[in-house]
Each structure stands twice: as C-alpha cells, then as structure tokens.
C-alpha cells in the first residue's frame, strides 16, 4: 500500500484581535488569571462577513499553492468543523464549488478539536488503498458565533481560524507511520453546544491531561518508535498546562513543542494545522523530522499521529 504524507499547508488567522485586557472590561476576570490558567494572551475573532467556509477557502488556496497542485487535481475534500456556515449544505461542498474542484468528493467531519487528526487518518486510508491520490483536509472554525461572551469560563478560551493540508503519496520513509483515534461518549456532556458552548472545565482538563500523553505514547509504540525518536510535538492548542503535560510525558524540551495558544486561543479543529504552519515558517520543523500531533475534543474524542515530515 502507498505511504501518504503532507504535501502543502496553509492557514487563515485574520480578523479582530481581542486581548485579555479587553475581556476584563466585560467579564469578572483578569489578564493574569487568564494567562496563568490557560496561557492565552489574545485571540482572533473573524469579521462578521467572514464565515467558516471563507476561512477554509483562504487556507486551502495557500495549501494547494505550496503543494504545487490545482484544485482540479483534488479527489476528496474533508472539512473538520463544529461551526459550519449552515447545518447543511456542508462546508466541504461550499468549498469544493468555490475552489473549482470539480472532480472531488466532499464531506465534513464532526470530531471537534480532534477533527483535523480524524481527517488526516481518513485521507491516509483513501490514499493507502489507491482509491484517491490527492486529498485536501481543512480544520475551520468560527467559534466566536457559538461562544457565550458573558460566561467567563468559556469566553476567554476560544478564537476563530482555519488551517489546511494537502495529503498525497510520499516515499516509503516519509509521511504517516501510525494513528490512534478514540471516543468516550460517557463524557459527551462535559463540553457541548446548547445553543452556545457549555463546558465542565475540571472534567475536560482531567481527561485531556491523561489522554494527550497516553495517545502520544501509543502512536509511537504502534510505529515501533520511542519518545527518544521524537523531534517535535504539535498538540491541540487548548490550554498551555494541558500541552505541557503532553510535552513532559514525551520528555521533550520546551523548544520542541508548538505553542500558538497565546496568540489565537483554542480554535478547535484548526488549532493543530495553524500551529503546524506557524512552526514551519519559524523553521522549527524540517524535512526528515519525526513529528507527533495529538488532539482531544468534545465527544469526548481524541486522535494522534506519528509522521516523518517531507515527501
């Protein structure tokens, strides 16, 4: 079976910057409280006339350009989102039409903050079996429209953005080596939208600290690797304390972990690809590096992958 990996990436993080200081004016909170408990210093809210499909489109254009492909080359479009433009049609179908990806199938993935990993795994299976050659995976969220800005427990956490990846065949020693996907529906009510985001922060924190580390170790073991082989960790950017717990489980130095939560907050399915794009631009991920990505989210779901960067 074919090996698959990431050919190109793009992101969209434009909009109105909302600082902790601004939130102090309307919430019973402080900049210090938010920073020490979450690591977040600011977040970006998309403009009113920019929807999830718009952010998905802008990030996809960048990813296709970096991959050296046209939209007509795509066989499948997967959009991970919990904040679609409409309940239906899917964001992926809106994106397919706007890109002009006329031969591509399209579907959305509702795995919350683990959605991008679920998308990568799905793309990997289609390419491994030979059914498809080029798959576009996008994590895109407009969480600002689902956030109760009067609830200090959630209003300080979330932001908007999108990240995209084009996945295609790679050489044998590059690309994805292993995946882990999972779900524990007994915790489904711990974070939900009804009609805005409601979260039991204590329970989600306990789950995430445990699962992020365990999943990171599990994908390494599945690939016949150890934590000594890891060059870089890209965790879901939810909370710096959760992220640090995963990093410490892998015994990595701080400079070997992606950290963008301070700039964008928790952007759900888009947080991992946005962080990947940022760290690639910063030169922290290079060809041949062993990269672990891991995320968790509402469901409660989780996903992780171990891959060697490059084509």
């Amino acid at each position: 079976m074919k090996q698959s990996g990431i050919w190109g990436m793009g992101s969209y993080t434009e909009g109105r910057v909302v600082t902790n200081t601004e939130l102090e004016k309307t919430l019973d909170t402080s900049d210090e409280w938010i920073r020490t408990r979450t690591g977040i210093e600011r977040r970006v809210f998309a403009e009113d006339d920019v929807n999830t499909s718009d952010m998905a489109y802008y990030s996809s254009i960048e990813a296709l350009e970096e991959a050296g492909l046209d939209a007509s080359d795509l066989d499948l479009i997967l959009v991970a989102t919990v904040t679609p433009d409409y309940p239906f049609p899917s964001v992926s179908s809106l994106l397919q039409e706007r890109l002009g990806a006329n031969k591509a199938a399209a579907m959305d993935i509702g795995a919350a903050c683990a959605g991008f990993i679920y998308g990568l795994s799905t793309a990997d299976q289609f390419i491994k079996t030979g059914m498809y050659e080029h798959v576009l995976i996008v994590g895109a969220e407009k969480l600002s429209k689902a956030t109760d800005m009067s609830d200090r427990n959630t209003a300080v956490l979330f932001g908007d953005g999108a990240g995209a990846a084009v996945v295609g065949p790679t050489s044998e020693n590059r690309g994805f080596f292993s995946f882990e996907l999972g779900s524990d529906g007994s915790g489904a009510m711990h974070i939900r939208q009804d009609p805005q985001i409601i979260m039991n922060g204590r329970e989600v924190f306990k789950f995430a600290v445990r699962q992020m580390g365990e999943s990171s170790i599990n994908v390494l073991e599945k690939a016949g690797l150890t934590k000594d082989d890891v060059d870089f960790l890209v965790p879901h950017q939810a909370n710096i304390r959760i992220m640090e717990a995963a990093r410490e489980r892998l015994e990595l130095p701080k400079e070997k972990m992606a950290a963008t939560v301070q700039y964008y907050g928790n952007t759900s399915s888009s947080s991992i690809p946005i962080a990947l794009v940022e760290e690639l631009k910063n030169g922290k991920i290079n060809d041949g590096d062993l990269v672990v990505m891991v995320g968790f989210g509402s469901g409660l779901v989780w996903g992780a992958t171990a891959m060697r960067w490059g084509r």
Side-chain angles (χ1 to χ4, degrees):
M1 292 192 291
K2 293 180 181 178
Q3 188 78 2
S4 82
I6 294 173
W7 283 26
M9 297 206 65
S11 65
Y12 180 87
T13 55
E14 297 181 24
R16 184 172 72 88
V17 174
V18 180
T19 64
N20 293 345
T21 304
E22 181 177 339
L23 294 180
E24 285 179 332
K25 299 173 183 176
T26 56
L27 295 170
D28 180 19
T29 190
S30 69
D31 175 52
E32 181 186 12
W33 189 91
I34 298 169
R35 286 177 188 247
T36 55
R37 285 162 178 77
T38 69
I40 299 169
E41 300 173 11
R42 40 164 274 188
R43 69 284 298 144
V44 177
F45 288 172
E47 300 296 344
D48 291 343
D49 60 349
V50 174
N51 217 326
T52 302
S53 65
D54 298 309
M55 294 185 282
Y57 172 77
Y58 297 131
S59 62
S60 297
I61 291 294
E62 285 188 6
L64 285 166
E65 184 177 346
E66 187 174 280
L69 294 178
D70 294 321
S72 59
D73 296 315
L74 294 173
D75 301 301
L76 175 65
I77 297 172
L78 303 170
V79 176
T81 186
V82 292
T83 53
D85 297 28
Y86 312 100
F88 57 90
S90 67
V91 175
S92 55
S93 289
L94 297 173
L95 179 60
Q96 181 227 21
E97 191 278 333
R98 191 166 175 184
L99 287 172
N102 297 325
K103 74 171 186 176
M107 66 179 179
D108 286 0
I109 295 174
C113 306
F116 184 71
I117 303 294
Y118 270 66
L120 292 177
S121 177
T122 303
D124 181 59
Q125 308 311 307
F126 276 115
I127 292 169
K128 270 188 167 63
T129 61
M131 183 170 178
Y132 292 139
E133 191 88 357
H134 304 122
V135 181
L136 173 67
I137 302 97
V138 187
E141 303 288 5
K142 192 170 183 178
L143 291 166
S144 58
K145 69 181 182 182
T147 302
D148 180 356
M149 295 307 297
S150 67
D151 177 8
R152 76 166 189 166
N153 295 313
T154 55
V156 302
L157 299 177
F158 300 107
D160 302 334
V166 174
V167 172
T170 62
S171 57
E172 190 174 342
N173 63 340
R174 292 290 188 273
F176 302 111
F177 293 156
S178 61
F179 283 93
E180 176 177 273
L181 305 177
S183 174
D184 178 5
S186 68
M189 292 297 102
H190 291 330
I191 178 167
R192 64 193 189 277
Q193 185 181 347
D194 186 25
Q196 294 175 305
I197 298 171
I198 301 169
M199 184 171 70
N200 182 335
R202 185 185 302 275
E203 291 301 321
V204 173
F205 183 88
K206 289 193 297 185
F207 163 79
V209 166
R210 181 186 75 252
Q211 196 62 54
M212 291 269 276
E214 286 183 5
S215 294
S216 298
I217 295 296
N218 289 346
V219 288
L220 290 171
E221 291 178 350
K222 285 182 180 181
L225 301 166
T226 71
K227 54 191 175 185
D228 293 332
D229 296 306
V230 179
D231 294 301
F232 207 77
L233 171 66
V234 186
H236 167 45
Q237 307 288 301
N239 178 306
I240 193 64
R241 293 185 295 162
I242 296 171
M243 294 156 56
E244 288 288 349
R247 179 185 66 79
E248 290 168 4
R249 184 74 179 270
L250 292 178
E251 299 180 7
L252 288 172
K254 285 190 175 184
E255 61 269 21
K256 294 292 187 180
M257 181 185 76
T260 59
V261 68
Q262 64 271 35
Y263 305 123
Y264 307 118
N266 180 347
T267 60
S268 189
S269 66
S270 67
S271 86
I272 289 176
I274 287 173
L276 267 172
V277 170
E278 296 274 330
E279 302 300 16
L280 285 163
K281 288 179 179 176
N282 293 335
K284 291 187 177 181
I285 300 174
N286 299 290
D287 185 68
D289 282 351
L290 197 288
V291 178
V292 171
M293 299 178 232
V294 60
F296 70 95
S298 173
L300 295 164
V301 296
W302 62 91
T305 183
M307 68 173 299
R308 194 166 299 283
W309 198 262
R311 290 168 64 170

Short mmCIF file of all heavy atoms in Angstrom, two decimals, residues 22 37 41 63 73 132 153 160 164 182 209-210 227 239 252 255-257 260 274 294 298-299 304:
data_model
loop_
_atom_site.label_atom_id
_atom_site.label_comp_id
_atom_site.label_asym_id
_atom_site.label_seq_id
_atom_site.Cartn_x
_atom_site.Cartn_y
_atom_site.Cartn_z
N GLU A 22 -9.13 43.58 27.05
CA GLU A 22 -10.46 43.94 26.56
C GLU A 22 -11.54 43.13 27.27
O GLU A 22 -12.62 43.66 27.61
CB GLU A 22 -10.54 43.72 25.04
CG GLU A 22 -11.89 44.08 24.44
CD GLU A 22 -11.94 43.94 22.93
OE1 GLU A 22 -10.87 43.95 22.28
OE2 GLU A 22 -13.06 43.84 22.40
N ARG A 37 -3.77 30.44 33.91
CA ARG A 37 -4.56 29.21 33.85
C ARG A 37 -4.68 28.61 32.45
O ARG A 37 -4.97 27.43 32.31
CB ARG A 37 -5.96 29.48 34.42
CG ARG A 37 -5.95 29.56 35.93
CD ARG A 37 -7.18 30.25 36.48
NE ARG A 37 -7.16 30.27 37.94
CZ ARG A 37 -6.43 31.10 38.67
NH1 ARG A 37 -5.64 31.99 38.07
NH2 ARG A 37 -6.47 31.06 39.99
N GLU A 41 -3.06 34.90 25.69
CA GLU A 41 -2.87 36.35 25.83
C GLU A 41 -3.85 37.14 24.97
O GLU A 41 -4.21 38.27 25.31
CB GLU A 41 -1.43 36.72 25.42
CG GLU A 41 -0.37 36.04 26.27
CD GLU A 41 1.03 36.28 25.76
OE1 GLU A 41 1.21 37.15 24.87
OE2 GLU A 41 1.96 35.60 26.25
N ALA A 63 -2.51 26.15 0.82
CA ALA A 63 -2.06 24.76 0.87
C ALA A 63 -1.86 24.18 -0.53
O ALA A 63 -0.88 23.48 -0.80
CB ALA A 63 -3.05 23.91 1.66
N ASP A 73 -6.99 18.92 -9.32
CA ASP A 73 -6.25 17.70 -9.02
C ASP A 73 -6.80 16.97 -7.80
O ASP A 73 -6.43 15.82 -7.54
CB ASP A 73 -4.77 18.03 -8.74
CG ASP A 73 -4.05 18.59 -9.95
OD1 ASP A 73 -4.23 18.03 -11.05
OD2 ASP A 73 -3.31 19.59 -9.80
N TYR A 132 -7.89 7.15 -3.86
CA TYR A 132 -7.64 8.55 -4.18
C TYR A 132 -6.15 8.86 -4.13
O TYR A 132 -5.38 8.16 -3.46
CB TYR A 132 -8.39 9.47 -3.20
CG TYR A 132 -9.89 9.43 -3.34
CD1 TYR A 132 -10.70 9.42 -2.20
CD2 TYR A 132 -10.51 9.42 -4.59
CE1 TYR A 132 -12.09 9.40 -2.31
CE2 TYR A 132 -11.89 9.38 -4.70
CZ TYR A 132 -12.67 9.37 -3.56
OH TYR A 132 -14.03 9.34 -3.68
N ASN A 153 -15.97 31.42 32.00
CA ASN A 153 -15.31 30.11 31.91
C ASN A 153 -15.01 29.70 30.47
O ASN A 153 -14.09 28.91 30.24
CB ASN A 153 -16.18 29.04 32.57
CG ASN A 153 -16.33 29.26 34.06
OD1 ASN A 153 -15.35 29.51 34.76
ND2 ASN A 153 -17.56 29.19 34.55
N ASP A 160 -11.15 32.15 16.41
CA ASP A 160 -11.52 31.70 15.06
C ASP A 160 -10.27 31.49 14.21
O ASP A 160 -9.22 32.10 14.46
CB ASP A 160 -12.40 32.75 14.38
CG ASP A 160 -13.67 33.06 15.15
OD1 ASP A 160 -14.13 32.19 15.92
OD2 ASP A 160 -14.20 34.18 14.98
N ALA A 164 -5.19 24.29 6.64
CA ALA A 164 -5.44 23.29 5.59
C ALA A 164 -4.17 22.53 5.27
O ALA A 164 -3.06 23.06 5.36
CB ALA A 164 -5.98 23.97 4.34
N GLY A 182 -10.01 7.73 19.02
CA GLY A 182 -10.82 7.15 20.08
C GLY A 182 -11.95 8.05 20.51
O GLY A 182 -11.99 9.24 20.18
N VAL A 209 -5.41 15.94 30.12
CA VAL A 209 -4.06 15.74 30.64
C VAL A 209 -3.66 14.27 30.52
O VAL A 209 -2.54 13.93 30.15
CB VAL A 209 -3.96 16.23 32.10
CG1 VAL A 209 -2.69 15.72 32.76
CG2 VAL A 209 -4.01 17.75 32.15
N ARG A 210 -4.60 13.39 30.83
CA ARG A 210 -4.31 11.96 30.74
C ARG A 210 -4.22 11.49 29.29
O ARG A 210 -3.26 10.83 28.90
CB ARG A 210 -5.41 11.17 31.46
CG ARG A 210 -5.18 9.66 31.44
CD ARG A 210 -6.36 8.90 32.01
NE ARG A 210 -7.50 8.86 31.09
CZ ARG A 210 -8.61 9.54 31.27
NH1 ARG A 210 -8.77 10.34 32.31
NH2 ARG A 210 -9.60 9.44 30.39
N LYS A 227 9.90 7.64 22.57
CA LYS A 227 9.90 9.10 22.73
C LYS A 227 11.25 9.72 22.42
O LYS A 227 11.33 10.91 22.12
CB LYS A 227 9.42 9.48 24.14
CG LYS A 227 10.18 8.82 25.27
CD LYS A 227 9.43 9.07 26.59
CE LYS A 227 10.08 8.34 27.74
NZ LYS A 227 9.29 8.49 29.00
N ASN A 239 -4.89 24.67 26.03
CA ASN A 239 -4.52 25.20 27.34
C ASN A 239 -3.05 24.85 27.54
O ASN A 239 -2.66 23.68 27.37
CB ASN A 239 -5.41 24.56 28.41
CG ASN A 239 -5.09 24.99 29.81
OD1 ASN A 239 -3.96 24.90 30.26
ND2 ASN A 239 -6.11 25.45 30.52
N LEU A 252 10.29 16.05 26.25
CA LEU A 252 10.84 16.96 25.25
C LEU A 252 11.15 18.31 25.88
O LEU A 252 10.43 18.77 26.77
CB LEU A 252 9.84 17.17 24.11
CG LEU A 252 9.60 16.02 23.14
CD1 LEU A 252 8.44 16.36 22.22
CD2 LEU A 252 10.85 15.74 22.32
N GLU A 255 11.36 23.96 23.60
CA GLU A 255 11.52 24.44 22.23
C GLU A 255 11.12 23.39 21.19
O GLU A 255 11.05 23.68 19.98
CB GLU A 255 12.95 24.89 21.97
CG GLU A 255 14.01 23.83 22.13
CD GLU A 255 14.60 23.74 23.53
OE1 GLU A 255 13.93 24.22 24.49
OE2 GLU A 255 15.71 23.20 23.67
N LYS A 256 10.81 22.18 21.63
CA LYS A 256 10.40 21.12 20.72
C LYS A 256 8.88 20.92 20.69
O LYS A 256 8.40 19.92 20.19
CB LYS A 256 11.08 19.80 21.10
CG LYS A 256 12.59 19.79 20.92
CD LYS A 256 12.99 19.86 19.46
CE LYS A 256 14.48 19.69 19.27
NZ LYS A 256 14.86 19.75 17.85
N MET A 257 8.14 21.89 21.23
CA MET A 257 6.67 21.81 21.22
C MET A 257 6.10 23.07 20.60
O MET A 257 6.49 24.19 20.94
CB MET A 257 6.12 21.66 22.63
CG MET A 257 4.59 21.56 22.66
SD MET A 257 3.88 21.52 24.33
CE MET A 257 4.02 23.27 24.78
N THR A 260 1.11 28.09 20.05
CA THR A 260 0.49 29.28 19.46
C THR A 260 -0.77 29.69 20.21
O THR A 260 -1.45 30.64 19.82
CB THR A 260 0.14 29.05 17.98
OG1 THR A 260 -0.76 27.93 17.89
CG2 THR A 260 1.39 28.74 17.16
N ILE A 274 -2.96 25.26 12.19
CA ILE A 274 -2.44 26.62 12.35
C ILE A 274 -1.08 26.58 13.04
O ILE A 274 -0.13 27.26 12.62
CB ILE A 274 -3.43 27.49 13.14
CG1 ILE A 274 -4.65 27.84 12.28
CG2 ILE A 274 -2.75 28.78 13.62
CD1 ILE A 274 -5.76 28.56 13.04
N VAL A 294 -1.26 15.55 18.33
CA VAL A 294 -2.24 14.94 19.22
C VAL A 294 -3.29 15.96 19.61
O VAL A 294 -3.00 17.13 19.85
CB VAL A 294 -1.55 14.35 20.48
CG1 VAL A 294 -0.81 15.42 21.27
CG2 VAL A 294 -2.55 13.61 21.36
N SER A 298 -14.60 17.65 22.18
CA SER A 298 -15.95 17.27 22.59
C SER A 298 -16.30 15.92 22.00
O SER A 298 -16.02 15.62 20.85
CB SER A 298 -16.93 18.33 22.10
OG SER A 298 -18.26 17.94 22.33
N GLY A 299 -16.91 15.09 22.86
CA GLY A 299 -17.30 13.75 22.40
C GLY A 299 -17.44 12.72 23.53
O GLY A 299 -18.41 12.04 23.57
N ALA A 304 -4.37 11.04 17.42
CA ALA A 304 -2.93 11.30 17.39
C ALA A 304 -2.32 10.63 16.18
O ALA A 304 -2.85 9.65 15.65
CB ALA A 304 -2.25 10.80 18.67
#
